[in-house]
Amino acid sequence: MKNLLIPLAACILLSCAAKEPALKTAFDGKFILGAAVNTVQITGADVKGDSVLLRHFGAVEPENCMKSAEIMPVFGQYNWDMADKYVDFGTRNGLLVYGHCLIWHSQLTPDFCYDKEGNLISPEELKARMKQHITTVVSRYKGRIKGWDVVNEAILDNGEWRPSPFYQILGEEFIPWAFQCAHEADPDCELYYNDYSMHIPAKLETAIKLAKTLQERGIRIDALGFQGHIGMDYPNLDLYERHIRRVKDETGLDVCITELDMSILPTVTMSADIAEMSRVERQAFFNPYENGVPEDVNAAWNARMGDVLDMFLRNADAVRRINVWGVSDDDSWKNGWPIPGRKDYPLWFDRSFNMKPFLSKYINGTK
Ligand code: 9MR
């Protein structure tokens, strides 16, 4: 009996969801709509999440399973299990499948850039290792991945290069090298540089400079990824829009909004705030919506997310894809960052898998 009930429940869920128009079709001809997935969606454990995902989204991005430390815990030793399942999941369900990310200083295989004594390896050795890793991963999924985030977060907010181990060994040359290796492994694949806080002028300046350098050298780059981890009080949307236009006008490249979420919680910027959160009397301030969001705050969140989406739609000639960073609010990394243990509401579907109200005007075809 129990065996029958689970498929029955899944059928009921799927048929309910099927009555609702699909969100992705509301943006046909404008941009691709995707969502990040984790193990629970990839393996089918999140039945409701998968039902929403397959109904409303046309593309997927792996939230964690393709990062170097996940796919290659020790340099040269691969664990393909979840990445293979991810690509199969996307392909089987007719979704566009994206790759995230090949070279990143975080979630990095611990010995990627170091020798046995723990010293940074030589430039030649690092170039060889980068080529080996990128070629191995990109070739494995050749023809099945539509586009890769080749390099992630190489620029600091002040526009300087991040002093990652890659940079310390190769300087900024590690970036063109990564793109070249990726292109050689799958010449048809789209390639992106991806970063957060692209509304900061100094940061955008360096990203544009990087794109131009790649273009001048004839190295493929298709778009700049604006991650889109935003809040109720940042960024200024006019500035964000101007930056999308600058990318298009100055480089001809598109922008992909790769990791969209908007925290509803007070913005935490300083480590002092994080320390404060441990004081019981400050917890209600930093984590105000543990038992739900008041109507006016919800309305403000929906109004701002609607403004964000309208701005992307106004610039649909320059925005190639919008990828929301998770399916429902419960999935979001924002519940645990920068302060663990908060309850956030940053995504397009709530914890009961209901679509947020701001989306109804698009889905009803009035927009
Ligand atoms: O959402 C991801 C979270 O589950 C991981 O714990 C975290 C670890 O660094 O990475 C998160 O995803 C990041 C993405 O890969 C790159 N841009 C920033 C994202 C949020 O940290």
Side-chain angles (χ1 to χ4, degrees):
M1 186 62 180
K2 203 170 159 201
N3 286 349
L4 282 175
L5 282 177
I6 293 170
L8 188 65
C11 284
I12 292 169
L13 271 170
L14 284 170
S15 64
C16 289
K19 288 187 189 124
E20 199 172 40
L23 191 53
K24 60 188 169 192
T25 57
F27 306 119
D28 271 352
K30 302 277 187 193
F31 42 67
I32 295 161
L33 182 66
V37 291
N38 248 320
T39 306
V40 284
Q41 288 89 29
I42 296 167
T43 59
D46 180 7
V47 175
K48 290 186 183 179
D50 279 349
S51 143
V52 163
L53 180 76
L54 300 184
R55 177 78 192 144
H56 292 293
F57 294 88
V60 272
E61 175 116 15
E63 190 171 342
N64 285 298
C65 71
M66 284 181 151
K67 294 167 178 173
S68 70
E70 299 290 323
I71 209 169
M72 181 179 64
V74 174
F75 190 83
Q77 294 177 24
Y78 285 90
N79 175 0
W80 298 110
D81 183 50
M82 201 46 65
D84 281 358
K85 286 193 172 107
Y86 161 72
V87 176
D88 288 344
F89 171 82
T91 313
R92 197 171 63 239
N93 288 300
L95 301 165
L96 291 171
V97 182
Y98 289 86
H100 171 84
C101 48
L102 295 169
I103 297 294
W104 189 27
H105 67 278
S106 185
Q107 285 175 286
L108 171 65
T109 307
D111 63 343
F112 199 127
C113 301
Y114 298 91
D115 64 18
K116 286 199 173 63
E117 284 73 47
N119 301 313
L120 289 173
I121 55 179
S122 68
E124 296 69 36
E125 177 67 13
L126 182 59
K127 282 183 87 173
R129 286 193 188 185
M130 285 174 65
K131 188 172 177 68
Q132 182 185 325
H133 175 61
I134 293 171
T135 308
T136 305
V137 177
V138 175
S139 312
R140 185 175 182 91
Y141 303 117
K142 187 175 176 184
R144 300 175 78 195
I145 300 269
K146 173 88 178 151
W148 272 103
D149 289 339
V150 179
V151 174
N152 198 34
E153 300 174 7
I155 306 170
L156 297 173
D157 287 355
N158 65 6
E160 289 173 11
W161 298 110
R162 181 185 297 281
S164 68
F166 295 104
Y167 181 80
Q168 288 175 52
I169 299 171
L170 284 170
E172 63 203 72
E173 278 305 308
F174 84 89
I175 305 173
W177 179 242
F179 275 79
Q180 194 178 316
C181 295
H183 182 58
E184 281 166 13
D186 186 352
D188 295 328
C189 195
E190 293 181 3
L191 305 179
Y192 323 117
Y193 173 76
N194 192 49
D195 216 325
Y196 58 85
S197 295
M198 295 288 255
H199 58 282
I200 298 178
K203 193 159 192 167
L204 184 84
E205 213 64 63
T206 305
I208 287 181
K209 203 177 80 196
L210 168 66
K212 284 183 175 168
T213 302
L214 293 173
Q215 290 173 324
E216 279 158 19
R217 292 202 207 166
I219 297 173
R220 180 169 184 163
I221 176 168
D222 293 83
L224 288 184
F226 281 34
Q227 291 185 1
H229 298 297
I230 62 178
M232 296 295 288
D233 52 4
Y234 70 94
N236 172 299
L237 294 188
D238 292 340
L239 180 64
Y240 212 51
E241 181 169 14
R242 281 205 299 280
H243 281 198
I244 291 172
R245 296 267 35 120
R246 278 196 60 190
V247 172
K248 188 72 181 172
D249 296 346
E250 293 176 33
T251 69
L253 294 181
D254 285 344
V255 165
C256 293
I257 308 298
T258 49
E259 305 180 14
L260 181 63
D261 50 30
M262 185 167 78
S263 178
I264 204 167
L265 298 175
T267 302
V268 176
T269 48
M270 300 176 310
S271 49
D273 288 344
I274 298 175
E276 278 238 321
M277 173 67 184
S278 59
R279 288 170 48 205
V280 173
E281 64 274 23
R282 294 296 281 152
Q283 283 176 4
F285 173 78
F286 285 114
N287 187 27
Y289 311 128
E290 189 58 41
N291 300 314
V293 182
E295 237 171 69
D296 58 332
V297 179
N298 231 338
W301 187 95
N302 275 277
R304 181 164 157 85
M305 194 49 113
D307 289 346
V308 170
L309 187 47
D310 284 344
M311 185 269 278
F312 293 152
L313 280 165
R314 264 200 310 279
N315 293 281
D317 65 306
V319 176
R320 183 175 295 199
R321 174 170 52 110
I322 293 184
N323 192 75
V324 184
W325 203 237
V327 180
S328 75
D329 282 339
D330 233 6
D331 298 331
S332 174
W333 73 296
K334 296 299 282 181
N335 293 304
W337 193 93
I339 300 177
R342 297 202 296 180
K343 194 165 182 182
D344 209 341
Y345 301 78
L347 297 176
W348 284 14
F349 287 81
D350 67 21
R351 283 176 170 76
S352 305
F353 300 90
N354 296 313
M355 193 181 281
K356 300 268 174 94
F358 79 96
L359 288 166
S360 56
K361 71 173 180 187
Y362 307 97
I363 210 163
N364 292 332
T366 54
K367 194 83 188 178

